[in-house]
Amino acid sequence: MERRRRLRQERRQERLIQLWRLVFFLLTATGLSWLLLTLGWSLRSASQIQISGSQRMDETVVVKAAGLSFPQSLLSLEPGEIEAKLMQELPVQEVSVQRHLLPPGLDIQLVERRPVAAATRMGPRGIERGMVDGEAYWMPMDMAKQGEKPSSAVKVEGWISNRRAVIARILQQRDLLGRPLKTIQVEPAGGVSLRIETLGLVYLGANDALLDEQFITIAQLNQSLPPNLRGASNEGLDLSDPSQPELKLRPKPKPSTPGKVTDS
């Protein structure tokens, strides 16, 4: 009996020892995991961010646009949120963000927008200068300065976001609109005018459904308008109704009347 009691006591002590070992290992593993997550898998500086696809935007620019701060747990970052912020803040058309744990860091791939035309718009502090790409997305001047110059000599004056699609269509058709298209002017109310070297000022209006017909009319006028009428308009060529173009001519100068001669 005494031997059985001793054996039961030894087994109980062995179980307690195993239980304490298990608790110790769990606590140790939890502590190590916590240290790894807080100290190992974290972003400590911008040097842990690799940027590819852009020569204009370095880690400093991307960190500011993404709203990142250091140190920051790598696992707490959401790549989708960072992509959305960069798409909103930077002149890029595609963004891909990936986390990697060994070594801890971020890989960010950017596809930049290429400037096509210089542009201005009205901002809270007055006129802002920038550029637009082929889809007429706005590019701030501090971003555009660091890259290549616009691929055309066209200027967009008065850019507004709700007329972006119209501006883009005009830019895409610029080679068909005369030699050359110089300016796209956007009114605050949405009306659009073009300044073409061969025709002068051409008013298109705000009806987007007429754009294709207006492009055809401009091409026809470039071929048929007599040379003496090219650029002769004072107020512009009105194509708001492309079926009835209206050319407002400059009034003929009045003959000068000779002054009276007075005896000196």
Side-chain angles (χ1 to χ4, degrees), residues 26-181:
L26 288 175
L27 290 175
T28 303
T30 302
L32 290 175
S33 299
W34 180 82
L35 288 175
L36 184 61
L37 290 175
T38 56
L39 301 178
W41 290 344
S42 64
L43 291 179
R44 295 175 173 273
S45 68
S47 62
Q48 294 172 265
I49 301 176
Q50 300 296 323
I51 310 296
S52 59
S54 173
Q55 298 179 347
R56 295 183 292 161
M57 291 171 279
D58 57 15
E59 293 86 354
T60 303
V61 174
V62 172
V63 166
K64 181 179 179 181
L68 296 175
S69 59
F70 305 103
Q72 188 163 359
S73 171
L74 190 60
L75 296 180
S76 68
L77 297 176
E78 290 294 337
E81 293 180 1
I82 297 176
E83 291 171 357
K85 287 182 180 179
L86 295 180
M87 286 289 293
Q88 182 177 0
E89 297 294 331
L90 298 179
V92 293
Q93 58 187 22
E94 291 182 21
V95 179
S96 175
V97 178
Q98 293 183 340
R99 297 177 294 191
H100 54 81
L101 303 180
L102 295 174
L106 282 180
D107 286 335
I108 301 179
Q109 296 181 345
L110 306 175
V111 178
E112 296 183 272
R113 298 190 180 279
R114 301 297 180 185
V116 171
T120 61
R121 68 178 180 181
M122 184 59 66
R125 298 182 180 180
I127 296 178
E128 297 178 357
R129 300 186 181 277
M131 299 182 186
V132 294
D133 68 351
E135 297 178 357
Y137 281 98
W138 179 265
M139 301 172 63
M141 185 58 74
D142 57 349
M143 291 288 99
K145 276 182 181 177
Q146 304 174 39
E148 67 273 23
K149 295 181 179 180
S151 59
S152 77
V154 179
K155 295 182 179 179
V156 179
E157 298 179 354
W159 182 96
I160 49 179
S161 60
N162 61 359
R163 304 303 283 160
R164 183 191 62 78
V166 174
I167 298 171
R169 289 181 63 185
I170 295 172
L171 288 173
Q172 292 162 7
Q173 299 291 330
R174 63 185 182 275
D175 292 337
L176 304 177
L177 299 180
R179 194 189 59 216
L181 172 64

